[in-house]
Amino acid sequence: MFRNQYDTDVTTWSPAGRLFQVEYAMEAVKQGSAAIGLRSKTHVVLACVNKASSELSSHQKKIFKVDDHIGVAIAGLTADGRVLSRYMRNECINYSFTYESPLPVGRLVVQLADKAQVCTQRSWKRPYGVGLLVVGLDELGAHLYYNCPSGNYFEYQAFAIGSRSQAAKTYLERRFENFTDSSREDLIKDALISVRETLQGEKLKSSICTVAVVGIGEAFHILDQETVQQLIDAFEIVGEDEPPVPEVGDAEADQGEAAAPAAEEGAAPMDI
Amino acid sequence: MTKQQANWSPYDNNGGSCVAIAGADYCVIAADTRMSTGYNILTRECSKITKLADKCMMASSGFQADVKALQKLLAARHLIYQHQHNKQMSCPAMAQLLSNTLYYKRFFPYYSFNVLGGLDSEGKGCVYTYDAVGSYERVGYSSQGSGSTLIMPFLDNQLKSPSPLLLPAQDAVTPLSESEAVDLVKTVFASATERDIYTGDKLEIVVVNAEGIRSEYMDLRKD
């Protein structure tokens, strides 16, 4: 993308029918550190890479609990993300107060999208520079949505945003068809492997990633570092690029799919 | 020219009594479960006790619609606090919040007579007692509601420490053990039920201690 005479205002169209300021806002999302989401019928997992600006500083919080049944991971301008999380929390609390029931995640996502759209049609505002992976439960099950600065939102089986997210997306594209019936543990394992894909060779440790889970019968919560490190150690022993080895008591479904991907797993996902 | 009087009141008194007793490392909160209006009973099984935070319970008698609204508001405010501070509200913090919330409606009050009970930040039992507009005080024990005039003098007799002018000042907590406090509460309600028509049916007792929260029920006279 290059500078041009139609990109000064968000309220200026280009002759090709584009709003450049909105597209630039989406670029900001690509600059943020990676965030990944995957869902099964009953659970959704969020994982993100914690990048600290320097060794001296702590990393920024990228995963927020919005309600017992809704959580969000952000990529891009963290400040914008924090403000939107606060908005989401308020909406959930107000809805619960009025209707004595949890706000369906699909409704929240639409409200968020409408809020983002407003900023694309006011000359005195700028679009939010943050992409949100919203995960939540409603009566139909588990959902994963992606909200962009443009005001669009999409539902996904699995998605990754932020820098080097393409590596994770390639991994997820290969495996997503199995996710619906995945167990909670396999889902978390796939999330961690996707995070590792974005690290491009750097060693995966619990100190540089955060994982959160929500599911039917399980409130949204962020896993603590020890648990995450144990999970990482469990599959690291198996080795790079191998499909999840069925652990004691795992479903037979794993055995079936372990054979097929094994052949394709040979090509390093780094070759994009 | 006589003053105009309202022919409709926004308030109703649903009766009932609440008690709370603080111990060294526990707190007992109790309330009857009768909800009435006038001389009629609306239900024999309405709880007046709610959990506001991990170690903080509130028992409220008075107008149950206002009580319910107050409980919802405090629950929502607690959620906001948890999002902002990443921890549960302490009992003293919740006590102040309740006071502020009540005074906010100083000119159209919540018809709610509250006792807050729980563990303070050091794990010691604490009880806070309120009037309808938020005036509050930390005490070792308290009662509110229709039976409080019968209950309070009895609790004073059993629990009140001697005047500080005569002896060294004592802690605000009761020297009773947890089971003694629960027995005292049962005795007190059985007595109040005898003479207060609005108190009876069933007694709900909640005990907060380091292990957590447990509930107990006891039948009371249903007349």
Side-chain angles (χ1 to χ4, degrees):
Chain A
M1 237 181 275
F2 297 106
R3 280 232 68 200
N4 53 70
Q5 50 179 295
Y6 308 109
D7 70 354
T8 313
D9 269 313
V10 74
T11 48
T12 306
W13 288 100
S14 82
R18 296 159 71 168
L19 289 169
F20 281 103
Q21 280 296 310
V22 175
E23 295 185 22
Y24 294 169
M26 288 168 48
E27 283 298 309
V29 176
K30 297 180 198 166
Q31 301 301 327
S33 51
I36 292 147
L38 327 65
R39 79 163 160 109
S40 72
K41 217 168 18 209
T42 55
H43 288 79
V44 208
V45 175
L46 282 172
C48 69
V49 174
N50 304 333
K51 270 285 143 69
S53 51
S54 82
E55 274 187 34
L56 296 169
S57 78
S58 63
H59 63 85
Q60 289 184 311
K61 201 164 156 195
K62 283 162 61 74
I63 298 188
F64 299 90
K65 175 170 172 168
V66 167
D67 204 344
D68 282 337
H69 65 297
I70 299 181
V72 63
I74 62 171
L77 266 53
T78 351
D80 284 2
R82 206 176 53 235
V83 156
L84 286 174
S85 300
R86 195 162 55 223
Y87 167 76
M88 290 163 82
R89 285 168 174 171
N90 265 331
E91 290 300 300
C92 283
I93 289 174
N94 288 334
Y95 187 94
S96 276
F97 188 94
T98 310
Y99 299 101
E100 295 265 340
S101 74
L103 175 58
V105 61
R107 297 274 288 270
L108 179 60
V109 155
V110 177
Q111 282 173 257
L112 206 51
D114 287 346
K115 195 169 161 70
Q117 190 279 339
V118 167
C119 299
T120 67
Q121 213 175 7
R122 306 277 185 271
S123 59
W124 62 92
K125 286 180 181 256
R126 63 156 178 84
Y128 287 104
V130 65
L132 303 111
L133 283 173
V134 183
V135 297
L137 304 168
D138 64 18
E139 306 105 27
L140 298 170
H143 298 272
L144 165 67
Y145 293 93
Y146 171 53
N147 277 70
C148 342
S150 59
N152 279 329
Y153 67 95
F154 309 91
E155 186 166 2
Y156 285 96
Q157 185 75 42
F159 200 49
I161 56 175
S163 71
R164 297 199 284 244
S165 57
Q166 189 52 55
K169 273 190 273 199
T170 312
Y171 174 79
L172 293 169
E173 274 164 25
R174 274 206 300 273
R175 314 238 15 183
F176 78 94
E177 268 146 353
N178 304 316
F179 288 163
T180 314
D181 299 314
S182 266
S183 71
R184 175 186 179 276
E185 287 63 39
D186 283 340
L187 214 59
I188 298 177
K189 211 174 292 182
D190 277 320
L192 285 167
I193 297 175
S194 312
V195 168
R196 195 182 56 189
E197 300 298 301
T198 69
L199 294 174
Q200 308 278 55
E202 199 185 325
K203 183 152 169 57
L204 176 64
K205 289 180 292 211
S206 62
S207 53
I208 54 165
C209 73
T210 310
V211 181
V213 190
V214 66
I216 296 178
E218 186 180 352
F220 182 90
H221 65 285
I222 297 177
L223 303 183
D224 63 279
Q225 273 214 322
E226 281 161 35
T227 316
V228 176
Q229 190 58 51
Q230 278 165 16
L231 290 160
I232 294 173
D233 293 335
F235 73 76
E236 292 269 85
I237 298 165
V238 176
E240 292 266 329
D241 294 340
E242 260 185 45
V245 172
E247 282 161 1
V248 180
D250 249 6
E252 288 81 54
D254 265 11
Q255 296 281 40
E257 42 149 306
E264 303 153 45
E265 292 286 324
M270 264 62 100
D271 296 346
I272 308 158
Chain B
M1 184 77 192
T2 47
K3 186 176 176 184
Q4 258 209 319
Q5 299 276 15
N7 53 11
W8 172 84
S9 168
Y11 296 114
D12 187 16
N13 190 351
N14 299 122
S17 315
C18 310
V19 163
I21 301 177
D25 59 351
Y26 66 88
C27 188
V28 179
I29 303 103
D32 69 325
T33 61
R34 173 178 285 177
M35 185 166 152
S36 46
T37 176
Y39 287 121
N40 302 311
I41 292 180
L42 290 171
T43 178
R44 298 190 191 276
E45 284 166 68
C46 169
S47 173
K48 296 187 183 58
I49 306 179
T50 184
K51 176 172 153 177
L52 293 179
D54 233 13
K55 304 280 175 176
C56 186
M57 310 290 290
M58 177 172 80
S60 321
S61 79
F63 181 36
Q64 289 300 314
D66 274 356
V67 166
K68 192 75 202 233
L70 186 60
Q71 289 174 350
K72 284 179 76 162
L73 224 173
L74 292 172
R77 289 298 302 271
H78 186 222
L79 246 186
I80 295 172
Y81 182 97
Q82 283 178 85
H83 282 142
Q84 291 176 342
H85 298 86
N86 232 9
K87 63 172 188 165
Q88 296 268 327
M89 268 179 100
S90 66
C91 204
M94 187 56 87
Q96 184 66 54
L97 177 63
L98 174 54
S99 172
N100 292 146
T101 306
L102 290 169
Y103 197 80
Y104 203 71
K105 293 232 312 150
R106 170 67 178 81
F107 300 111
F108 184 10
Y110 288 106
Y111 193 150
S112 169
F113 298 97
N114 313 295
V115 262
L116 208 69
L119 302 178
D120 65 12
S121 327
E122 292 158 23
K124 286 200 237 168
C126 62
V127 169
Y128 294 89
T129 188
Y130 295 78
D131 71 1
V133 284
S135 163
Y136 82 113
E137 186 190 2
R138 181 172 176 176
V139 287
Y141 60 92
S142 180
S143 73
Q144 293 281 355
S146 57
S148 69
T149 46
L150 300 165
I151 295 172
M152 203 59 182
F154 184 62
L155 290 178
D156 284 336
N157 174 268
Q158 298 292 304
L159 304 174
K160 191 166 188 162
S161 41
S163 165
L165 295 173
L166 298 175
L167 285 170
Q170 283 186 20
D171 216 357
V173 295
T174 316
L176 291 179
S177 74
E178 189 182 300
S179 52
E180 282 172 331
V182 171
D183 284 341
L184 176 61
V185 158
K186 289 178 179 173
T187 310
V188 139
F189 267 90
S191 307
T193 304
E194 291 292 314
R195 295 290 177 175
D196 178 23
I197 58 172
Y198 301 109
T199 301
D201 290 328
K202 206 159 62 167
L203 171 62
E204 183 184 5
I205 306 172
V206 175
V207 181
V208 185
N209 55 27
E211 282 131 46
I213 301 178
R214 75 160 209 281
S215 296
E216 210 181 306
Y217 292 89
M218 186 185 91
D219 267 359
L220 295 171
R221 279 184 69 159
K222 299 188 186 321
D223 62 358

